[in-house]
Amino acid sequence: MPRDEAERVFSPYFVTYHDRLFRERGYLRCILDQVGHWSELLEIDGGEMLDIGCGFGVYTLLFTFCGAGRVYGADHNREKFDLFAKMLALLDPPVDKVTLSLQDGHGLDFEDGRFSTIFVKDVISHVREPGVFFGEVSRLLSPGGRVLITDENNSLEIFGRAERRRKWNAWEWRGIATDDRRADDPPLT
């Protein structure tokens, strides 16, 4: 799709954000390979999956083709949310395994233990209250469920950097060093 047509159909914001999709053929292959690899790591098994910070929904949509029974895409950015809904409406045949939810990752309106898989991409760098966020992830994950968190922007937002790294380390190494945890750390499940 030419850039000017993509800007008309979606928005200049979307096209700028995903410019590489339109000009580099290898970029889409890279994304497909990433999602395939992540799907294997997450052992997606037909259960319900949550994509926190789904943005325009590129990864949310691709996970539906990798074995997820239903993928819930949650994001607090109204413009990205609306563009994702528009993209879903344009798909033929329609994808009926995606549910969109406009909400913030610090307080998600889903029942405890609902998701067998939670995916979080490029969100941690934007989280101001990591303890609350990781607590939500822990609350929503079903027993034995899997979480994948990746963020290439992890050091950009300077104000919460130290706290975020402390919480990130507690989450990443959970169960290994439990004696240095504080009362407000997320539960280790």
Side-chain angles (χ1 to χ4, degrees):
M1 174 182 295
R3 184 183 177 105
D4 59 335
E5 183 181 347
E7 287 180 351
R8 246 186 346 273
V9 171
F10 297 103
S11 78
Y13 179 42
F14 174 85
V15 174
T16 299
Y17 202 82
H18 288 294
D19 183 54
R20 294 176 72 188
L21 284 174
F22 297 99
R23 60 183 172 84
E24 293 179 31
R25 292 184 192 271
Y27 185 65
L28 182 56
R29 176 80 260 159
C30 178
I31 290 175
L32 293 171
D33 289 347
Q34 269 186 330
V35 171
H37 177 68
W38 291 334
S39 296
E40 289 174 15
L41 287 174
L42 292 167
E43 297 178 3
I44 294 176
D45 61 356
E48 291 189 322
M49 179 178 188
L50 175 61
D51 180 357
I52 302 175
C54 68
F56 298 114
V58 172
Y59 294 95
T60 310
L61 185 60
L62 292 175
F63 278 117
T64 67
F65 303 117
C66 292
R70 172 160 296 282
V71 182
Y72 290 78
D75 204 295
H76 74 279
N77 182 308
R78 168 57 81 175
E79 184 175 1
K80 288 181 180 180
F81 179 86
D82 290 345
L83 286 168
F84 185 15
K86 184 177 187 175
M87 181 177 68
L88 282 174
L90 292 172
L91 294 176
D92 186 24
V95 175
D96 60 357
K97 294 180 3 177
V98 172
T99 300
L100 300 180
S101 184
L102 182 65
Q103 48 182 325
D104 185 275
H106 288 89
L108 294 160
D109 189 24
F110 297 110
E111 59 271 7
D112 295 0
R114 175 164 188 171
F115 299 100
S116 60
T117 308
I118 298 177
F119 178 70
V120 183
K121 183 177 185 327
D122 297 337
V123 171
I124 300 303
S125 55
H126 304 286
V127 171
R128 290 228 182 244
E129 296 181 67
V132 173
F133 180 81
F134 284 120
E136 275 297 276
V137 170
S138 293
R139 180 184 71 77
L140 296 170
L141 190 64
S142 64
R146 292 182 177 258
V147 175
L148 189 141
I149 300 172
T150 179
D151 195 327
E152 294 87 19
N153 301 319
N154 203 19
S155 64
L156 294 180
E157 198 276 293
I158 196 164
F159 298 109
R161 184 182 301 163
E163 178 69 4
R164 191 171 42 258
R165 284 185 196 237
R166 191 181 69 69
K167 296 291 185 177
W168 176 259
N169 287 333
W171 177 266
E172 190 173 34
W173 298 105
R174 61 191 185 157
I176 295 173
T178 57
D179 51 338
D180 65 345
R181 294 175 45 72
R182 294 193 330 207
D184 66 330
D185 283 340
L188 299 177
T189 56

